[in-house]
Amino acid sequence: MVARRNKTYATGEASNFMTRKHAMRKLQLNLKDFRRLCILKGIHPREPRNRKRAQKGDMTKVQTLFHEKDIRFLLHEPIVWKFRDFKVFVRKLKKATAKGNFDAVARLKDNTPKYNLDHIVKERYPTFIDAIRDLEDCLCLCALYATFPKNARLPVEMITLCRRLMIEFMHYVIEAKALRKVFVSIKGYYYQVEIMGQTITWIVPHSFAYAKPENVDLKLMAIFVEFYTTMLGFVNYRLYHKLNLQYPPSLAGYGQTMSHADDQDALGEELSDRITALNRSLVRTVTHTEEEDTPMDDIPMAEDDGMMEEIKRKAEQLKHLTHLFAGMKVFLGREVPREPLVFMIRALGGEVSWDATAAPGSTFGESEPSVTHQISDRPKESLQMSYLQRVYVQPQWIFDSINQGQLLPVQTYFVGEVLPPHLSPFIADRRVGDYIPPEEKELLGLAEPAKAKKAEEQEKEEDDSEDEEEDDEEEEEGDEEESEEEGAPSKMKVELGKPEVVDKEKAKKMMEDEEFKLRTMMIKKKHKGLYRSMMKSRKRRVHETKQLEWKRKEFENKQNQAGHKSAEPKGPKAVGGKAKKAQK
Amino acid sequence: MVHSGKKRKTPSQATQLSSALLLDDETPIGPDLNLEGPQVNGSKSPSEAETQSDSDESSVYSELEDEEDEEDEEDSDEEEEENEDDGDDHEASESDSAAQEIAEEGRARSKKAPSTAQEPEAVEALEAQPVQDEYEYDSSDEEDIRNTIGNIPVNWYDDYDHIGYNLDGVAIRKPKRGDELDHFLRQMEDGNAGITVRDPLTGQDVVLSQSQVEKIKRLAASKVPEPGYDMYADAIPWFSSQVMETPLRDLPEGKKSFLPSLTEKRRVGRMVHALKMGWMKTKAEREQEKREDPTKRYYMLWQSDDQPEDVKRITDLIPAPKMKLPGHAESYNPPPEYLFTEREKKTWQDLDEEPFKRKLPFIPAKYESLRQVPAYRNFINERFERCLDLYLAPRARKNRLTIQPEDLVPQLPKPQDLQPFPTVCALTYKGHKNMIRTLSIEATGQFLASGSDDGTVKIWEVQTGYCLQTFTMPGVIKSVMWCPNKALSLLAVACENMVVLISAGVGDKVVVDQTEELLKEAPDNTGYIPPERVKNAVAWSLPEKSDKLPKSALIVLKFFKNVKQVIWHGKGDYFATLVQDGLNRSVIISQLSKWRSQIPFSKAKGLVQCVLFHPIRPYLFVATQRHIRIYNLAKQELSKKLQTGAKWISSMAIHPKGDNLLVGTYDKKVQWFDLDLSSKPYQVLRYHATAVRQVAYHKRYPLFASGADDTSIIVSHGMVYNDLLQNPTIVPVKLLRGHSKYDDFGVMEVLWHPTQPWLLSGGADGFIKLWT
């Protein structure tokens, strides 16, 4: 008897993966439904370990491969039946419309098959913490949809719901004091919050009129939004209950618009309503007790006290951050973007208001004497700074203060001042050779020596009030003078032998470098490629850093030149600087 | 008379006509009957009306009798209408003879006649019939049912005293007829005699009515019988292209329309059911639904924060990677160095076709204040792309390396701990005018011999760097080697196709003299006949003047081709020569004491690169381009074949203990073979950037060195342990650079001092360097 030949591609990786076409056939779905199902259920293609085997030897093209188990998991999804119902519904609707049977059309439309995604949310996120962890995309997309206008081409109900859910989530952040970092980018506002130990970052676009994007399938995005609204609703529900807040919350100004939601209200009105809502506190189910400060107990759990102290310090910092704006009354100018600022100030314990004529919901007016800060984003000339007891600052002060965890000195942020660069607070892990801009170095405390140098320079300037170039010359001259003074003029002389200056540090470093170089010769062949690529990327980084440093230097040189030029004709500025120092 | 006219009518015609006439006549009765009937509906077929009239117990005739006068007046109107309807029928009947018609009419009239004509018997006979309901609903009575004889010629009954049978089968008696006289008298008496006719079916006399008479008169005058009939009326276009507003139907509503609709009932039923089941909603409910808060549908989905509940889930879920957080460059007010220069901007814009190659997906921009920041154009597109990635991009778990590149570098003992080894160039021996191909050091380490491409062999004192001797040879020196025998001061020099044994003339005078004495003349080789093969390959001789050799040359071996290498066996009696392109005669082993040579291999196994004697055992290492073969000279067999895996071997060196072999290759590798372990290299050192020219082991210290074309010499520590289980440790300890490049050649030869940890190297630049 002839031994049976093994069939190739019948087991292992080849049988574990199936193409999209195959999967669709197995599920008896068309592409549209399959796509929807995959999105809702979170099924994604997988990269096989061996593509050739997974594609059953066909390497002519790169196929979309799904894991066989994932597809099997989809087989018994009840939602698939709803898809089929919907298909039937569409057919009926078409028929009824074609026949002009409008009663039937209305009746059918009333009974549009709807599916429920609750069980899928539970399935994809078996624990609440899972859902929190995966909240980023959800928030980004909902925030985007919340900015869409209500027009006939966009799904109005979905947009309303997104707005509502986002406002609820922001309220939670305010109530939980969970805001940690903010960033204004050219794309929009980034917010980072910490919920149950998870950091979540999302982006909200700058509020501008909606422009229809090209090459974007909004229907596809709507599927995502459909799922995300369900998810965010449930997350909000649980988050509110954790804080003993009532859900759904009764939002100020929101209920009224909901009641006559039929008449299409303009975007502006809607927006102002949201901000109005943000500026009011929520109703609690349990009467709010004063926040008890439970001091951290000293449990000697770790061997080193340093760690414990570190933890304590961090807790202290956090507490300071969450009450950063406590006791502050901020008044916003009408040109300032209200939504982000109201959210941030309220989230960190401050009070906000704005001109009552600009938008509804203001709680106090400009003339209120207890206002501590007024935020304005307009040229100095056009602003009447008629109240002496308050500080007029630019909005960046709020952002930078939050990122620093302390109220920064307001001088550099006064209205009309040139703002310092706004840095990203999200750069956490730096690799060797990454660039750190000088402003950040200063903040991190890395640039102490540079400061000292500056100080010295300043002193020198004070001393002789001459140009720096001259300073150098002077120094040289001084050296010459010294030598002249020491050695009397003589023609022949045997000078004292000087011991060779051996820079021990340098020699040691050189030796270490050589040793390291010899050791790199002995890297295993297996690791050699990796080592090389890593070193290559490090080199590239260093190169980029150098470029950036160079650019900075160029810029500063230019500034200095401009400064000199402007400083020379202007006498008073230098005098002013002197006066300041004199005051010190 | 009229009814016995020449033309007989066929029975069918007769019935037709009769029915037509009956219709004409009886319709006027309708209105009255209608009032009595159960139906409001007046649309009854004439026959029905007739049967009803028959079935009425009260005498029809009497009624007719009473209303005769009125009837006539109405007749004209009604008939006109009827005629309009049945115009066609009339025209058809008109064609028949008028006489016949009149006769029929007369007969019809005769039904009513009895009352007027006072013939009680017949009436009685007719009336005597018990009124039965049997024929109440009989509709098949188009013919006259008072006489049931049917449609037969009446004259068949001429001989009988009855004229037929009534419905009950009782014979109908013929009315008594008087004679001609009676008839005449009656005519005289009766004013109606002129208009009285006899009905042949019943035999009764019938008085024609005024209208009938009129008709007869009109027929006789060849006119249309109906007086009011307009033959030339305008045609009414009943069926035309014009659509009328109301249908031209005068039908009354059917019964159906007054009954409750079954389908509607069903539909309502279905609606009620749908409402009950919740499939359908009332308008109020729908309104309510619209107004309802969409957030009301949420509930506590998770009971706890981190306890997974029992739900089926995808196995091995790979979460999507998180969004990349923005750096400083994305700020609305970044530090100035992040802004693009003109050039960077241009390169960014040039990559429009391949946006993935850009370092940043946007152009950084700086705005003076927040209010100047415009909308970001690609925001929705970026979100969309993220969505696409979420469901389209294949995911795989990738282990992210958290290591630094430094972690990949092996931890080795520090070179300082492995001293001594040469670190600096102590001496440079200058004198050669061309590249130095070969070096050899005397066994005590006092003198150094070097051979160069300029055709000279120089002997140097190692410690001082003085050149003691210079021998000028007739060609390029390929190889020089001191004879390891301490009793001799002898150099073997390979030059062109010769190997010249030269007395070095340095060192101990006794030894020098002894050497010259010993090798002055050829040994006694009588009785030895060298094989033909050897004889063709090599010839021993004393130097001749024509050879242009230095004076101190003692013996000359002339080979059939150029010699590439000459190497002494450890004892100093045998030496092996490698002949270039010698094929199977590449390797020739010669014995100094006997002036004899032999060719050990009969077959060529490849291009031989170099040969080497084992320091202790009788082994010969022969390196071809890719392999090294180890031959046991005592047993005369191949004992081992080493697989180098290299493309081209350049040199070999053997560890003084004889267990490890170092191989240098032109493909930049230095290979360490442990001969006891395997036929594959124990370690491959890829630390040269170019071809390795020479490798060498130190005799005493655990050091080895390799020189390469990039002018670098790498000194490594290579400790071999006596314990067989412990592998040798190999640590590169020093990189020596000092030679300069010449014609792409760097270091040609490296050589260890036999006793000191000093290294000698000969370079293509013509210098020899001593590294200490």
Side-chain angles (χ1 to χ4, degrees), chain B residues 478-680:
Chain B
K478 284 281 172 67
S479 180
V480 171
M481 199 170 181
W482 286 93
C483 175
N485 190 346
K486 280 177 187 167
L488 295 173
S489 171
L490 191 67
L491 263 179
V493 179
C495 170
E496 306 270 278
N497 65 339
M498 299 178 290
V499 170
V500 187
L501 298 172
I502 303 174
S503 163
V506 290
D508 199 346
K509 183 90 172 61
V510 182
V511 176
V512 173
D513 291 346
Q514 196 185 325
T515 308
E516 283 175 4
E517 188 66 26
L518 196 68
L519 300 176
K520 204 165 55 187
E521 49 191 52
D524 182 21
N525 257 342
T526 49
Y528 166 73
I529 304 155
E532 196 69 14
R533 211 167 145 236
V534 175
K535 216 159 115 188
N536 290 342
V538 58
W540 290 72
S541 66
L542 290 169
E544 288 161 25
K545 277 208 172 163
S546 61
D547 291 338
K548 292 176 186 171
L549 292 172
K551 275 182 194 169
S552 48
L554 299 174
I555 301 168
V556 180
L557 283 84
K558 284 186 179 162
F559 290 86
F560 66 103
K561 270 182 181 168
N562 280 0
V563 179
K564 197 178 171 191
Q565 191 196 3
V566 57
I567 190 161
W568 286 96
H569 182 253
K571 287 202 175 124
D573 190 16
Y574 288 96
F575 62 89
T577 46
L578 176 62
V579 179
Q580 219 164 6
D581 305 328
L583 297 177
N584 58 349
R585 295 179 291 175
S586 297
V587 184
I588 297 169
I589 297 174
S590 314
Q591 193 180 6
L592 177 65
S593 55
K594 288 182 178 165
W595 280 37
R596 284 184 192 171
S597 295
Q598 51 182 315
I599 300 170
F601 308 119
S602 54
K603 268 186 193 168
K605 289 279 166 70
L607 282 176
V608 180
Q609 297 300 309
C610 56
V611 290
L612 190 69
F613 283 109
H614 194 279
I616 307 157
R617 278 180 228 123
Y619 289 137
L620 180 69
F621 295 80
V622 178
T624 56
Q625 270 186 4
R626 293 179 176 222
H627 306 289
I628 294 165
R629 293 185 172 79
I630 305 170
Y631 294 97
N632 190 335
L633 294 173
K635 287 184 185 170
Q636 298 200 341
E637 63 178 18
L638 178 71
S639 84
K640 207 173 212 176
K641 188 178 164 191
L642 302 179
Q643 310 278 350
T644 60
K647 298 264 163 61
W648 202 320
I649 292 166
S650 66
S651 57
M652 278 191 296
I654 189 146
H655 193 265
K657 280 180 184 160
D659 284 341
N660 296 287
L661 185 75
L662 209 59
V663 176
T665 67
Y666 289 117
D667 46 358
K668 308 173 196 174
K669 285 185 268 189
V670 174
Q671 297 178 330
W672 178 295
F673 283 91
D674 194 329
L675 297 177
D676 297 337
L677 206 67
S678 149
S679 63
K680 296 227 168 87

Side-chain angles (χ1 to χ4, degrees), chain A residues 35 39 43-47 69-70 73 110-111 118 121-129 131 133 136-137 140-141 144 148 161 164 168 183-187 190 196 199 201 203 205-206 208 213-215 217 220-221 224 228-230 233-234 237-238 241-242 247-248 337 377-379 395-396 419-424 426-427 435 437-438 440 511 514-516 518-519 521-522 525 528 530-531 534-535 538 544 548 551-552 555, chain B residues 279-280 286 291 293-309 311-318 322-323 325-328 330-341 344 359 361-365 367-371 373-376 379-384 386-388 390-396 401 403-406 408-412 414-416 683 685-687 714 730 732-735:
Chain A
R35 188 174 70 176
I39 290 170
I43 302 288
H44 49 80
R46 288 181 196 247
E47 186 67 32
K69 273 186 185 169
D70 289 352
F73 175 71
D110 271 347
N111 280 336
D118 301 1
V121 174
K122 185 86 177 277
E123 199 176 86
R124 281 177 68 171
Y125 308 111
T127 66
F128 182 54
I129 215 95
R133 222 173 270 152
E136 280 194 356
D137 287 314
C140 287
L141 207 55
L144 173 64
F148 281 176
L161 186 58
R164 167 89 196 211
E168 283 171 8
F183 180 54
V184 194
S185 93
I186 53 173
K187 294 180 184 174
Y190 285 89
M196 298 170 67
T199 49
T201 317
I203 181 172
H206 294 293
F208 278 99
E214 281 174 16
N215 304 328
D217 183 3
L220 185 132
M221 275 166 89
F224 277 94
Y228 284 149
T229 46
T230 315
F234 284 117
Y237 190 94
R238 187 159 172 85
H241 280 260
K242 278 176 86 76
Y247 192 91
D377 193 15
R378 59 169 79 178
Q396 197 187 318
L419 287 169
H422 178 55
L423 300 173
S424 164
F426 300 122
I427 296 167
Y435 177 71
E440 202 183 2
M511 205 154 90
E514 196 192 341
E515 187 197 317
F516 183 76
L518 287 168
R519 266 166 53 198
M521 289 173 181
M522 296 301 284
K525 191 186 173 189
K528 211 157 213 172
L530 178 63
Y531 176 79
M534 280 166 102
M535 287 310 263
R538 180 185 280 188
E544 273 167 12
L548 285 174
K551 268 162 96 179
R552 178 74 179 209
F555 175 78
Chain B
W279 302 330
M280 207 169 102
R286 262 179 275 147
R291 248 183 284 123
D293 191 349
T295 52
K296 278 263 163 59
R297 69 193 176 100
Y298 302 120
Y299 51 91
M300 191 67 94
L301 190 69
W302 297 279
Q303 294 312 315
S304 72
D305 280 347
D306 47 5
Q307 294 301 308
E309 279 143 66
V311 278
K312 59 173 182 168
R313 212 184 169 205
I314 309 170
T315 49
D316 186 31
L317 184 98
I318 304 174
K322 284 203 168 187
M323 165 175 77
L325 291 176
H328 297 317
E330 210 184 301
S331 169
Y332 86 103
N333 180 16
E337 61 268 33
Y338 285 100
L339 297 176
F340 279 173
T341 57
E344 281 172 323
K359 275 179 194 165
F362 54 88
I363 300 177
Y367 300 100
E368 302 261 298
S369 66
L370 193 54
R371 71 168 191 282
V373 182
Y376 183 61
F379 195 93
I380 301 177
N381 293 60
E382 277 181 12
R383 282 290 110 213
F384 176 63
R386 171 73 182 174
C387 286
L388 283 186
L390 283 177
Y391 96 95
L392 269 184
R395 297 185 199 169
L401 284 176
I403 53 163
Q404 292 294 313
E406 282 83 1
L408 292 172
V409 180
Q411 286 300 324
L412 296 173
K414 285 201 164 184
Q416 288 98 306
Q683 198 153 9
L685 308 165
R686 288 179 184 81
Y687 48 37
I714 293 173
I730 298 168
V733 289
K734 190 70 191 173
L735 179 72

Side-chain angles (χ1 to χ4, degrees), chain A residues 333-358:
Chain A
R334 52 173 69 222
E335 71 283 353
V336 177
R338 267 195 313 281
E339 197 189 44
L341 283 165
V342 170
F343 172 55
M344 285 184 303
I345 295 168
R346 287 259 299 127
L348 301 182
E351 279 182 70
V352 206
S353 181
W354 52 84
D355 195 359
T357 55

